[in-house]
Structures are given as C-alpha cells and as structure tokens.
Amino acid sequence: MHGQDEEMIRRVAQRWEQAWNAHDMSAMAALLADDADFVNVWGMHWRGRDEIEREHANRHRTQFKDSVWKTGELRVQFLKPDVALVHLGWGMAAGRDPDGAPRKPRQGLFTWIMLKEQGTWRIRAGHNTNVSAPPSA
Amino acid sequence: MHGQDEEMIRRVAQRWEQAWNAHDMSAMAALLADDADFVNVWGMHWRGRDEIEREHANRHRTQFKDSVWKTGELRVQFLKPDVALVHLGWGMAAGRDPDGAPRKPRQGLFTWIMLKEQGTWRIRAGHNTNVSAPPSA
C-alpha cells in the first residue's frame, strides 16, 4: 500500500505549483535532488539542483515573471517502494516569449522520477513537454 | 560497478536504432516493459507496450516510412542496481509531416527509465522532446 507515499508526492506537486506562482525558485529547488536532471520543453538539459534553480530563476525574472502554473492530472506509479514514476499535466497562463511578447496559454506534460531518501520524496529527474498538435495533423 | 549493466543498456539503445531504421516496430516493442509509458514530442501519452507499438507502427507506414534514426550521446545513471536513468540524444533525417511534406532533419533528447527484470533491461518509461530554439531567443 502506497497511500501515504502517494499523498507525500501529491504535496510535492502542490508545492511546485505554489513555488512557481510565488516565483520562489529557492522553494522550487528544495523539491529537487542534489543531482537532479531536468530537460525543459526546448530540450535543454540542466544538471544538478543549482543549475536548475539558476536557469529557472533567470526566466522567472523575465518571461515567467507573471506566469501562473496550474497542475492538472497527476498520475503516480511506484517502480520500487522508494522510486516513483509521476506524470503531471499542467497549464500555464500569462507567460511571455524571451522578447516580452505575450504567449498564449499552453498546456504540458511532465515526467518526474522521484526518489524517497531519508523519508523525503524529491524529484531526481524531470522531463517537460508542451502539448501541441503535430504539423498538418 | 555497473559496467556490464551499462553495456546491456547501450545495446538496447543500439537495438532501438536498428529497429527504427528497419521500421520493425515489433522489434522496437520488445525493448519495452509490458506496462511502459511513452510521452512523444507532441505530449501524447501512450500506455502499455501494445499501444506504443501500434502508434509507432502507424507512423512508420506514413511519416516515418523512410526516416533514419541516429543515436547520439548516451548517458546512463543508476538510481538502483536495477533502475537506470538514461538520457539519449538522437537525430532524425528523411521524416515527413502527416501530410507527406518532407520535414527537415531534427534532433531530440529522450529520457528513458529502465528496469532490469529477470536479467533483462527494458524501457519502463520514455519521454521524448525535439531540441529546438525558444521563440525570439
């Protein structure tokens, strides 16, 4: 039975949303493992909590300054008692392009690999993708 | 020491490339866990080996019919002796859009979560992204 662990993981997702919307990247980074890997929607690969925090903080000073994150469907599967595979649907409003132009609201899908260490679940790997229509589909 | 396991994982990546380029989706599906999750570059989420095989086979009859996959950098990290986090860079040439229009060569980055069960490493979760430039960056 993984009920309590799933609840802990759902709280991490809530705290991600809260940290994003407060633009508090230090609170967001606290949800990551030290050696976390992060692949963003453009296929940029950041390695380690410090780099992930810094890259997000840069964007939250500019394009994500007013952005609002909303977590949607969350699906948690346990690969081991202390390893979880998480799929997290999300929406974002009020984002901007790097040149400041308003960006339409968009939706995405995150894969997280989470590890439980010393009683705490943290994100060891994240991979994020915008949900969009294939060309000409 | 994970040398032998890493070698086995590298062979899975080689077999992925071979199966793709032979357009043999049954050989590709043999690399997946029964209950695999797969998120493609458009954020479509396919669940289970059968669905992943079917969706790929559909595309290999059309837009991927002549496509050529080339695996690039492969990075393997062991989260447990039998759980591996894999980042796999790739390139694709000779793909087409769903309407048949030739698509430019593109590059991408795959995250795989692999599990070793009964001596065999299989892909339990895949998440794929095209590497591209952010708008106006």
Side-chain angles (χ1 to χ4, degrees), chain A residues 53-90:
Chain A
E53 177 176 350
R54 189 170 59 243
E55 294 288 348
H56 276 88
N58 286 343
R59 288 162 178 76
H60 276 266
R61 277 191 284 271
T62 54
Q63 63 191 96
F64 293 149
K65 192 178 176 195
D66 303 310
S67 68
V68 179
W69 179 286
K70 182 154 182 55
T71 294
E73 188 187 359
L74 190 69
R75 183 161 165 258
V76 180
Q77 300 174 84
F78 290 92
L79 307 183
K80 301 274 180 185
D82 54 355
V83 181
L85 170 63
V86 178
H87 291 92
L88 184 157
W90 54 266

Side-chain angles (χ1 to χ4, degrees), chain A residues 78-85 113-115 124, chain B residues 2 5 9 76-86 112-117 120-122 124-125:
Chain A
F78 290 92
L79 307 183
K80 301 274 180 185
D82 54 355
V83 181
L85 170 63
I113 302 302
M114 299 187 67
L115 299 181
R124 171 61 182 81
Chain B
H2 296 297
D5 285 299
I9 288 170
V76 180
Q77 299 174 85
F78 290 92
L79 307 184
K80 301 273 181 185
D82 54 355
V83 181
L85 170 64
V86 178
W112 286 350
I113 301 303
M114 299 188 67
L115 300 181
K116 187 182 189 183
E117 289 175 335
T120 301
W121 284 96
R122 288 201 176 82
R124 172 60 183 82

Side-chain angles (χ1 to χ4, degrees), chain A residues 108-121:
Chain A
L109 181 56
F110 233 148
T111 297
W112 286 350
I113 302 302
M114 299 187 67
L115 299 181
K116 187 182 188 183
E117 289 175 335
Q118 296 172 333
T120 300
W121 284 97

Side-chain angles (χ1 to χ4, degrees), chain A residues 35 37-45 47 73 75 77 79-80 82-83 85 87 97-99 101 103 109-111 113 115-116 124-137, chain B residues 35 37-45 47 73 75 77 79-80 82-83 85 87 97-99 101 103 109-111 113 115-116 124-137:
Chain A
D35 56 352
D37 283 87
F38 192 99
V39 179
N40 82 351
V41 301
W42 309 107
M44 297 172 189
H45 185 176
R47 299 178 187 184
E73 188 187 359
R75 183 161 165 258
Q77 300 174 84
L79 307 183
K80 301 274 180 185
D82 54 355
V83 181
L85 170 63
H87 291 92
D97 286 335
D99 67 355
R103 195 188 283 181
L109 181 56
F110 233 148
T111 297
I113 302 302
L115 299 181
K116 187 182 188 183
R124 171 61 182 81
H127 192 133
N128 205 6
T129 294
N130 290 324
V131 173
S132 57
S136 316
Chain B
D35 55 352
D37 284 86
F38 192 99
V39 179
N40 81 352
V41 299
W42 309 106
M44 298 173 188
H45 186 174
R47 298 178 187 184
E73 189 187 359
R75 183 160 165 257
Q77 299 174 85
L79 307 184
K80 301 273 181 185
D82 54 355
V83 181
L85 170 64
H87 291 92
D97 285 336
D99 67 355
R103 195 189 282 181
L109 181 56
F110 233 147
T111 297
I113 301 303
L115 300 181
K116 187 182 189 183
R124 172 60 183 82
H127 192 133
N128 205 5
T129 294
N130 290 324
V131 173
S132 57
S136 315

